[in-house]
Amino acid sequence: MSAHASTTPAIFAPRAGILARSVDWVIRHPRMFVFLMVLPITLWLGIVYIGALIALLIQSFFSIDEFTGLVVREFTLKTYAELLRPVNLDIIVRTATMAAVVTVAAAIVAFPIAYYAARYAKGRWKALFYIGVMLPLWSSYLVKVYAWKLVLAKEGILTWVFAKLHLGWLLDAALALPVVGGNSLSVSYIGTFLVFLYVWLPFMVIPVQASLERVPGELLEAASDLGATPRQSFWLVLLPLAMPGVVAGSIFTFSLTLGDYIIPQIIGSSRLFIGQAVYAHQGTAGNIPLAAAFTVVPIVIMGVYLWAARKMGAFDAL
Amino acid sequence: MTMTNAVTFRGVSRHFGPVRAVDAVDMEIREGEFFAMLGPSGSGKTTSLRLIAGFEQPTAGHIEIFGETAEGVPPYRRNVNTVFQNYALFPHLNVRDNVAFGLRVKGVPKAERMRAADEALALVELAGLGDRRAGMLSGGQRQRVALARALVNKPRVLLLDEPLGALDLKLREQMQEELRKLQRALGITFVFVTHDQDEALSMSDRVAVFAEGRIRQIGTPEEIYRRPATRFVADFVGSSNVIPADFAGAGPADRWASLRPEDIRPDPAGRNATITSRAFLGRVVRLGLHLEGQDLTAILPAADTIPMPGESLSIGWDTARVHVMEPDA
C-alpha cells in the first residue's frame, strides 16, 4: 500500500530552486508582477522626466533681479509678463509661424510619398522606400544642415541650377519678397523653412504611411462605387482615415521645429527663434527664469494644438 | 418580347498577367431579374462583378449596361451599386452618414439626404440606429447598413459580392429570404455572387455557373439542377450521381451522365448493389450504394423493407430520366 502511494506521481509536484519558486510566485500574483514590471519605467518617467519638467515650471515662476542678476526665488508672474514684451513676443510668433508652415508643407509633401508607399510599393520597392526615408536620419544632423548652407548659398548649386535653367529671375523674385526674402536663400526665412522641411520630413512620412496602410482599399472602392469622384474620395474618406497619422506626424514636425535652435542659427536671418532665446538666456545671460518661461511656451502650444485636434475629431478614426 | 438587358457581356476577358481571371465570357443579365453568379473561388465570378462595377476594365471584349457601353466609364459614373463582401462601411462615419454618403457626394441637400437615409434604414429594419458607429453593430446589422447604403442611391443594378458569407446559418437563411423579397418589391436587377450552390439555386431567377474564368452554364435553377450541361456543373451543384453514360444505359462511353438520387428505385429485375451507408431522414431514406465499381446515392421513400448497410439491394432506373451531359471544354 505504502509502496503504491510512493510511486504515484503528485499532480502538483513541488519545484525546487529560487528561480522556479519565484516563477511560481509570479504566476500566483499576476498583479504584483505587473507592478514590478512597471515600477522602473514609472520611476524613470516620474523622477527624471516629469520631475525635471516640474523643476522647469517652478523656475519659470521665479524672476531675476535686474541689478544683481541673481534669481529671486519667490513666486511671481513677472517673468511671464516679460514674454509679452514685443521683442519676446516676436520670437514666439516667428517660431510658431515657422513651425506651422513647416508642418503644413511637410504634410503636403509627405502625403503622396506615403500614399505611394502604402498602396503601390511592394517588396523591394517598399524596402527602398524605408531606406530612402530613413537614411537621412542616420547621418549627422549638423552635417546635413551645413551641407544645406552650401546648397543654398549665393554661390551654391541651387543658384547655379536656377541660372542654367534661365530661372534666375524666379529665385531673385522670391528673395525680393519682404520678410521671407534676403540676400541669398541661406540667409532668408525661405532657406530656414526649406532646411526644416527637409530635416523633419521623415517624421511626417512614416506615421502617415502607417495610417494609410491601415485604410482598406475596399473603402476607397466603396466611395467610388457610391459616386464619389477621386477628389471627394480623398477629402471624405482617405484624409479623415489618415488623419491620426497626419496629426501624429505634425506633433513631431511642429514640436521639433518649435524647439530647434541649431537650424535658425546656421541658416536664415539672424533673428531669434524660441530655442535660441532659451539657449541665450540660460547661458551667458544667466536668466534661468526667462529661459524656463520660454520653454513652457512650446509645451502650452502643443497642449492647445492636441486639444484642438481632438475637438475637431482628428482621432475619431482611431 | 422586347426585354432590356441590364448587363451584357460580349467576349469579355480580364487577364492578370498569365492568369485568365475572366476568359471570353458572354452573358446577358435581364432587367429586373435576380441573377446569381455561382462558382468555386478563383472561377471568375467576383472579377465579373468588379467588371460590372467598373473596378476592373476588361482586357478584351465589350460590356454594356442598359445598352450603353461601359468602356472607360469609372465606377463613380455608373448607376450601379455594390454590397461588398466585408461590407466596407466607413469607420469614421455613423450609420446614417454611411447610408447618406452616396447622396452627399451627389450634392443632395443635407435635410433631404438624412431623410432618405432614415427611410433606407427603415427599409432594412434598422430604423433608429442611425446615430450608432458602424463598428458598434453586429455582422447582420452591418450587412443591412451596407444594403441600405447601396439602395439609397436607387441603383439600376445592385451587385452583391458574397454578401451572406460572413453570417451564421440562421441569419443567413433569414437574409436570403429578405433579399429575395426586397428584390421583388423594388424591381431592381440583383447580381449576386456566391459559392454556395443552395443559396444560388434557392434565391435566383437565373444562375450562371463559373469555372476557370468561363461560364459553364446559364439557366434557371431547375435547368441547372435537372439538366446540368457538363460534368463540372453536375459535380459543383452537387446531389446528382455523375456516372459514365454507358453505365447509366443512356449514351456513349465517352460522355458523362447525371442521375438524380430520387430517380433510383428498388427493382427486382435490376442490378445488385451493396449498401454502404443508410441515413433515415423522416419521409425518405438516403442510401449510399456500391454498384459495379460506381458509388451512387439514392433517396428512397422510407419503408420497413430497406435493408441495412452491408446487405444488398436490387436497383434500377428509367433511362429516360438519365441526363447525358456535354463534355467539359
Short mmCIF file of all heavy atoms in Angstrom, two decimals, chain B residues 216-217 223-238 240-246 248 250-260 322-329:
data_model
loop_
_atom_site.label_atom_id
_atom_site.label_comp_id
_atom_site.label_asym_id
_atom_site.label_seq_id
_atom_site.Cartn_x
_atom_site.Cartn_y
_atom_site.Cartn_z
N ARG B 216 -19.93 27.93 -67.53
CA ARG B 216 -20.18 26.56 -67.98
C ARG B 216 -21.65 26.34 -68.31
O ARG B 216 -21.99 25.49 -69.11
CB ARG B 216 -19.74 25.55 -66.91
CG ARG B 216 -18.24 25.55 -66.70
CD ARG B 216 -17.55 25.13 -67.99
NE ARG B 216 -16.20 25.63 -68.07
CZ ARG B 216 -15.13 24.96 -67.71
NH1 ARG B 216 -15.25 23.76 -67.22
NH2 ARG B 216 -13.95 25.48 -67.83
N GLN B 217 -22.51 27.13 -67.66
CA GLN B 217 -23.94 27.00 -67.96
C GLN B 217 -24.68 28.21 -67.40
O GLN B 217 -24.36 28.70 -66.33
CB GLN B 217 -24.51 25.73 -67.32
CG GLN B 217 -25.96 25.46 -67.74
CD GLN B 217 -26.46 24.11 -67.26
OE1 GLN B 217 -25.76 23.41 -66.51
NE2 GLN B 217 -27.66 23.75 -67.66
N GLU B 223 -33.26 24.20 -64.50
CA GLU B 223 -32.43 23.69 -65.61
C GLU B 223 -31.06 23.24 -65.11
O GLU B 223 -30.56 22.19 -65.50
CB GLU B 223 -32.24 24.79 -66.67
CG GLU B 223 -33.47 25.00 -67.53
CD GLU B 223 -33.40 26.31 -68.33
OE1 GLU B 223 -32.37 27.01 -68.26
OE2 GLU B 223 -34.38 26.61 -69.00
N ILE B 224 -30.47 24.09 -64.27
CA ILE B 224 -29.14 23.76 -63.76
C ILE B 224 -29.20 22.46 -62.97
O ILE B 224 -28.32 21.61 -63.07
CB ILE B 224 -28.62 24.90 -62.84
CG1 ILE B 224 -28.60 26.23 -63.58
CG2 ILE B 224 -27.29 24.54 -62.22
CD1 ILE B 224 -27.38 26.53 -64.35
N TYR B 225 -30.27 22.32 -62.20
CA TYR B 225 -30.37 21.15 -61.33
C TYR B 225 -30.73 19.90 -62.12
O TYR B 225 -30.12 18.85 -61.95
CB TYR B 225 -31.41 21.43 -60.25
CG TYR B 225 -31.58 20.29 -59.28
CD1 TYR B 225 -30.58 20.02 -58.34
CD2 TYR B 225 -32.71 19.50 -59.30
CE1 TYR B 225 -30.73 18.98 -57.44
CE2 TYR B 225 -32.87 18.45 -58.42
CZ TYR B 225 -31.87 18.19 -57.49
OH TYR B 225 -32.00 17.16 -56.62
N ARG B 226 -31.71 20.02 -63.03
CA ARG B 226 -32.18 18.84 -63.75
C ARG B 226 -31.29 18.47 -64.92
O ARG B 226 -31.11 17.30 -65.22
CB ARG B 226 -33.59 19.08 -64.30
CG ARG B 226 -34.67 19.04 -63.28
CD ARG B 226 -36.00 19.34 -63.95
NE ARG B 226 -36.95 19.85 -62.99
CZ ARG B 226 -37.64 19.08 -62.16
NH1 ARG B 226 -37.49 17.78 -62.21
NH2 ARG B 226 -38.48 19.61 -61.29
N ARG B 227 -30.80 19.48 -65.61
CA ARG B 227 -30.05 19.19 -66.82
C ARG B 227 -28.70 19.91 -66.80
O ARG B 227 -28.46 20.82 -67.60
CB ARG B 227 -30.85 19.63 -68.06
CG ARG B 227 -32.27 19.08 -68.10
CD ARG B 227 -32.97 19.41 -69.40
NE ARG B 227 -32.34 18.77 -70.55
CZ ARG B 227 -32.52 17.49 -70.88
NH1 ARG B 227 -33.28 16.72 -70.16
NH2 ARG B 227 -31.92 17.00 -71.93
N PRO B 228 -27.83 19.52 -65.86
CA PRO B 228 -26.51 20.17 -65.82
C PRO B 228 -25.79 19.95 -67.15
O PRO B 228 -25.82 18.86 -67.71
CB PRO B 228 -25.79 19.45 -64.67
CG PRO B 228 -26.55 18.19 -64.44
CD PRO B 228 -27.96 18.47 -64.86
N ALA B 229 -25.19 21.03 -67.66
CA ALA B 229 -24.63 20.95 -69.01
C ALA B 229 -23.39 20.08 -69.07
O ALA B 229 -23.18 19.38 -70.04
CB ALA B 229 -24.29 22.37 -69.49
N THR B 230 -22.56 20.19 -68.05
CA THR B 230 -21.31 19.43 -68.09
C THR B 230 -21.09 18.73 -66.76
O THR B 230 -21.80 18.97 -65.78
CB THR B 230 -20.09 20.36 -68.34
OG1 THR B 230 -19.90 21.16 -67.17
CG2 THR B 230 -20.30 21.25 -69.55
N ARG B 231 -20.08 17.86 -66.75
CA ARG B 231 -19.77 17.13 -65.54
C ARG B 231 -19.41 18.09 -64.41
O ARG B 231 -19.77 17.88 -63.25
CB ARG B 231 -18.60 16.20 -65.83
CG ARG B 231 -18.38 15.33 -64.67
CD ARG B 231 -17.26 14.37 -64.78
NE ARG B 231 -17.15 13.79 -63.45
CZ ARG B 231 -16.19 13.01 -63.07
NH1 ARG B 231 -15.23 12.70 -63.91
NH2 ARG B 231 -16.16 12.55 -61.84
N PHE B 232 -18.68 19.17 -64.74
CA PHE B 232 -18.29 20.12 -63.71
C PHE B 232 -19.52 20.70 -63.02
O PHE B 232 -19.59 20.79 -61.79
CB PHE B 232 -17.45 21.26 -64.30
CG PHE B 232 -17.19 22.35 -63.30
CD1 PHE B 232 -16.14 22.25 -62.42
CD2 PHE B 232 -18.04 23.44 -63.21
CE1 PHE B 232 -15.94 23.21 -61.46
CE2 PHE B 232 -17.85 24.42 -62.25
CZ PHE B 232 -16.79 24.30 -61.37
N VAL B 233 -20.50 21.10 -63.82
CA VAL B 233 -21.70 21.72 -63.25
C VAL B 233 -22.41 20.72 -62.35
O VAL B 233 -22.81 21.04 -61.22
CB VAL B 233 -22.64 22.22 -64.36
CG1 VAL B 233 -23.94 22.76 -63.77
CG2 VAL B 233 -21.96 23.29 -65.20
N ALA B 234 -22.55 19.50 -62.82
CA ALA B 234 -23.24 18.48 -62.03
C ALA B 234 -22.51 18.25 -60.71
O ALA B 234 -23.13 18.17 -59.64
CB ALA B 234 -23.33 17.19 -62.82
N ASP B 235 -21.17 18.17 -60.77
CA ASP B 235 -20.39 17.96 -59.56
C ASP B 235 -20.53 19.14 -58.61
O ASP B 235 -20.69 18.98 -57.42
CB ASP B 235 -18.90 17.80 -59.91
CG ASP B 235 -18.57 16.37 -60.26
OD1 ASP B 235 -19.33 15.48 -59.83
OD2 ASP B 235 -17.56 16.14 -60.96
N PHE B 236 -20.44 20.37 -59.18
CA PHE B 236 -20.42 21.54 -58.32
C PHE B 236 -21.78 21.81 -57.70
O PHE B 236 -21.88 22.12 -56.53
CB PHE B 236 -19.93 22.77 -59.09
CG PHE B 236 -19.68 23.93 -58.18
CD1 PHE B 236 -18.57 23.93 -57.34
CD2 PHE B 236 -20.55 25.00 -58.13
CE1 PHE B 236 -18.34 24.97 -56.46
CE2 PHE B 236 -20.33 26.05 -57.26
CZ PHE B 236 -19.22 26.03 -56.43
N VAL B 237 -22.81 21.66 -58.52
CA VAL B 237 -24.16 21.87 -57.98
C VAL B 237 -24.50 20.75 -57.01
O VAL B 237 -25.24 20.93 -56.05
CB VAL B 237 -25.18 21.99 -59.12
CG1 VAL B 237 -26.60 22.00 -58.60
CG2 VAL B 237 -24.91 23.25 -59.93
N GLY B 238 -23.88 19.61 -57.23
CA GLY B 238 -23.96 18.53 -56.26
C GLY B 238 -25.25 17.77 -56.30
O GLY B 238 -26.11 18.00 -57.16
N SER B 240 -26.38 15.24 -57.53
CA SER B 240 -26.66 14.27 -58.59
C SER B 240 -25.57 13.19 -58.59
O SER B 240 -24.44 13.45 -58.19
CB SER B 240 -26.66 14.95 -59.95
OG SER B 240 -27.95 15.40 -60.27
N ASN B 241 -25.94 12.02 -59.06
CA ASN B 241 -24.93 10.99 -59.31
C ASN B 241 -24.33 11.26 -60.67
O ASN B 241 -25.05 11.38 -61.66
CB ASN B 241 -25.57 9.61 -59.31
CG ASN B 241 -26.07 9.23 -57.93
OD1 ASN B 241 -25.30 9.13 -56.99
ND2 ASN B 241 -27.38 9.04 -57.81
N VAL B 242 -23.00 11.40 -60.73
CA VAL B 242 -22.34 11.60 -62.01
C VAL B 242 -21.69 10.28 -62.38
O VAL B 242 -20.80 9.80 -61.69
CB VAL B 242 -21.31 12.73 -61.91
CG1 VAL B 242 -20.57 12.87 -63.24
CG2 VAL B 242 -21.99 14.04 -61.54
N ILE B 243 -22.18 9.69 -63.45
CA ILE B 243 -21.72 8.35 -63.85
C ILE B 243 -21.50 8.30 -65.35
O ILE B 243 -22.07 9.13 -66.08
CB ILE B 243 -22.76 7.26 -63.44
CG1 ILE B 243 -24.16 7.70 -63.87
CG2 ILE B 243 -22.71 6.99 -61.95
CD1 ILE B 243 -25.24 6.69 -63.54
N PRO B 244 -20.68 7.39 -65.82
CA PRO B 244 -20.49 7.28 -67.28
C PRO B 244 -21.82 6.98 -67.96
O PRO B 244 -22.65 6.23 -67.44
CB PRO B 244 -19.53 6.10 -67.44
CG PRO B 244 -18.84 5.98 -66.11
CD PRO B 244 -19.84 6.44 -65.09
N ALA B 245 -22.02 7.60 -69.13
CA ALA B 245 -23.31 7.49 -69.80
C ALA B 245 -23.64 6.05 -70.16
O ALA B 245 -24.79 5.61 -70.06
CB ALA B 245 -23.33 8.38 -71.04
N ASP B 246 -22.60 5.27 -70.58
CA ASP B 246 -22.90 3.88 -70.96
C ASP B 246 -23.27 3.05 -69.73
O ASP B 246 -24.09 2.14 -69.79
CB ASP B 246 -21.72 3.26 -71.72
CG ASP B 246 -20.43 3.27 -70.92
OD1 ASP B 246 -20.32 4.12 -69.99
OD2 ASP B 246 -19.54 2.46 -71.22
N ALA B 248 -24.91 4.20 -67.27
CA ALA B 248 -26.30 4.55 -66.99
C ALA B 248 -27.25 3.95 -68.02
O ALA B 248 -28.46 4.01 -67.87
CB ALA B 248 -26.46 6.07 -66.96
N ALA B 250 -27.56 5.03 -71.14
CA ALA B 250 -28.25 6.10 -71.84
C ALA B 250 -27.41 6.79 -72.89
O ALA B 250 -27.85 7.76 -73.49
CB ALA B 250 -28.75 7.13 -70.83
N GLY B 251 -26.15 6.36 -73.11
CA GLY B 251 -25.36 7.10 -74.07
C GLY B 251 -24.01 6.45 -74.32
O GLY B 251 -23.71 5.38 -73.79
N PRO B 252 -23.17 7.15 -75.11
CA PRO B 252 -21.86 6.59 -75.46
C PRO B 252 -20.90 6.60 -74.26
O PRO B 252 -21.11 7.34 -73.30
CB PRO B 252 -21.38 7.53 -76.57
CG PRO B 252 -22.10 8.81 -76.33
CD PRO B 252 -23.42 8.46 -75.73
N ALA B 253 -19.83 5.84 -74.35
CA ALA B 253 -18.92 5.65 -73.24
C ALA B 253 -18.10 6.90 -72.93
O ALA B 253 -17.61 7.05 -71.82
CB ALA B 253 -17.99 4.47 -73.54
N ASP B 254 -17.93 7.80 -73.93
CA ASP B 254 -17.08 8.96 -73.68
C ASP B 254 -17.85 10.14 -73.09
O ASP B 254 -17.33 11.24 -72.99
CB ASP B 254 -16.35 9.39 -74.97
CG ASP B 254 -17.34 9.76 -76.05
OD1 ASP B 254 -18.54 9.43 -75.89
OD2 ASP B 254 -16.92 10.38 -77.05
N ARG B 255 -19.08 9.93 -72.71
CA ARG B 255 -19.86 11.00 -72.11
C ARG B 255 -20.17 10.68 -70.66
O ARG B 255 -20.15 9.52 -70.25
CB ARG B 255 -21.19 11.16 -72.86
CG ARG B 255 -21.04 11.65 -74.28
CD ARG B 255 -20.62 13.11 -74.32
NE ARG B 255 -20.77 13.64 -75.66
CZ ARG B 255 -21.91 14.13 -76.14
NH1 ARG B 255 -22.99 14.15 -75.39
NH2 ARG B 255 -21.97 14.60 -77.36
N TRP B 256 -20.46 11.76 -69.91
CA TRP B 256 -20.91 11.59 -68.53
C TRP B 256 -22.41 11.85 -68.48
O TRP B 256 -22.94 12.61 -69.28
CB TRP B 256 -20.19 12.54 -67.58
CG TRP B 256 -18.74 12.20 -67.43
CD1 TRP B 256 -17.71 12.67 -68.18
CD2 TRP B 256 -18.17 11.30 -66.48
NE1 TRP B 256 -16.53 12.13 -67.77
CE2 TRP B 256 -16.78 11.28 -66.72
CE3 TRP B 256 -18.70 10.50 -65.45
CZ2 TRP B 256 -15.90 10.51 -65.96
CZ3 TRP B 256 -17.82 9.74 -64.70
CH2 TRP B 256 -16.44 9.73 -64.95
N ALA B 257 -23.05 11.21 -67.52
CA ALA B 257 -24.48 11.41 -67.35
C ALA B 257 -24.78 11.74 -65.90
O ALA B 257 -24.03 11.37 -65.00
CB ALA B 257 -25.22 10.14 -67.76
N SER B 258 -25.85 12.46 -65.67
CA SER B 258 -26.26 12.71 -64.28
C SER B 258 -27.57 11.99 -64.02
O SER B 258 -28.46 11.94 -64.87
CB SER B 258 -26.39 14.22 -64.00
OG SER B 258 -27.65 14.69 -64.39
N LEU B 259 -27.62 11.42 -62.84
CA LEU B 259 -28.79 10.64 -62.44
C LEU B 259 -29.16 11.10 -61.05
O LEU B 259 -28.36 11.00 -60.12
CB LEU B 259 -28.43 9.15 -62.43
CG LEU B 259 -29.48 8.20 -61.88
CD1 LEU B 259 -30.74 8.22 -62.72
CD2 LEU B 259 -28.92 6.78 -61.81
N ARG B 260 -30.36 11.62 -60.91
CA ARG B 260 -30.72 12.18 -59.61
C ARG B 260 -31.04 11.06 -58.61
O ARG B 260 -31.60 10.03 -59.00
CB ARG B 260 -31.88 13.15 -59.76
CG ARG B 260 -31.40 14.43 -60.44
CD ARG B 260 -32.39 15.52 -60.37
NE ARG B 260 -33.61 15.17 -61.10
CZ ARG B 260 -34.82 15.56 -60.72
NH1 ARG B 260 -34.97 16.29 -59.64
NH2 ARG B 260 -35.86 15.22 -61.42
N VAL B 322 -32.27 9.73 -67.21
CA VAL B 322 -30.82 10.00 -67.16
C VAL B 322 -30.52 11.15 -68.11
O VAL B 322 -31.02 11.18 -69.23
CB VAL B 322 -30.03 8.74 -67.58
CG1 VAL B 322 -28.53 9.05 -67.63
CG2 VAL B 322 -30.31 7.60 -66.61
N HIS B 323 -29.73 12.11 -67.61
CA HIS B 323 -29.38 13.26 -68.44
C HIS B 323 -27.92 13.13 -68.88
O HIS B 323 -27.00 13.12 -68.06
CB HIS B 323 -29.59 14.56 -67.65
CG HIS B 323 -29.01 15.76 -68.32
ND1 HIS B 323 -29.43 16.19 -69.56
CD2 HIS B 323 -28.04 16.61 -67.94
CE1 HIS B 323 -28.73 17.27 -69.90
NE2 HIS B 323 -27.87 17.53 -68.93
N VAL B 324 -27.73 12.98 -70.20
CA VAL B 324 -26.37 12.86 -70.72
C VAL B 324 -25.81 14.27 -70.95
O VAL B 324 -26.46 15.11 -71.57
CB VAL B 324 -26.36 12.06 -72.04
CG1 VAL B 324 -24.93 11.95 -72.58
CG2 VAL B 324 -26.95 10.68 -71.80
N MET B 325 -24.59 14.51 -70.43
CA MET B 325 -24.05 15.87 -70.46
C MET B 325 -23.04 16.04 -71.58
O MET B 325 -22.46 15.09 -72.09
CB MET B 325 -23.39 16.17 -69.12
CG MET B 325 -24.39 16.11 -67.97
SD MET B 325 -23.66 16.44 -66.37
CE MET B 325 -22.76 14.96 -66.05
N GLU B 326 -22.80 17.33 -71.92
CA GLU B 326 -21.77 17.69 -72.89
C GLU B 326 -20.40 17.48 -72.24
O GLU B 326 -20.27 17.61 -71.03
CB GLU B 326 -21.90 19.17 -73.29
CG GLU B 326 -23.20 19.51 -73.99
CD GLU B 326 -23.35 18.78 -75.31
OE1 GLU B 326 -22.36 18.72 -76.06
OE2 GLU B 326 -24.44 18.23 -75.56
N PRO B 327 -19.38 17.20 -73.05
CA PRO B 327 -18.04 17.12 -72.45
C PRO B 327 -17.60 18.50 -71.95
O PRO B 327 -17.96 19.52 -72.53
CB PRO B 327 -17.16 16.63 -73.60
CG PRO B 327 -17.95 16.84 -74.85
CD PRO B 327 -19.39 16.93 -74.48
N ASP B 328 -16.79 18.53 -70.86
CA ASP B 328 -16.25 19.80 -70.37
C ASP B 328 -15.29 20.37 -71.39
O ASP B 328 -14.52 19.65 -72.01
CB ASP B 328 -15.52 19.58 -69.04
CG ASP B 328 -16.48 19.70 -67.87
OD1 ASP B 328 -17.08 20.77 -67.72
OD2 ASP B 328 -16.63 18.71 -67.12
N ALA B 329 -15.34 21.66 -71.57
CA ALA B 329 -14.46 22.31 -72.55
C ALA B 329 -13.00 22.16 -72.11
O ALA B 329 -12.71 22.17 -70.95
CB ALA B 329 -14.82 23.77 -72.67
#
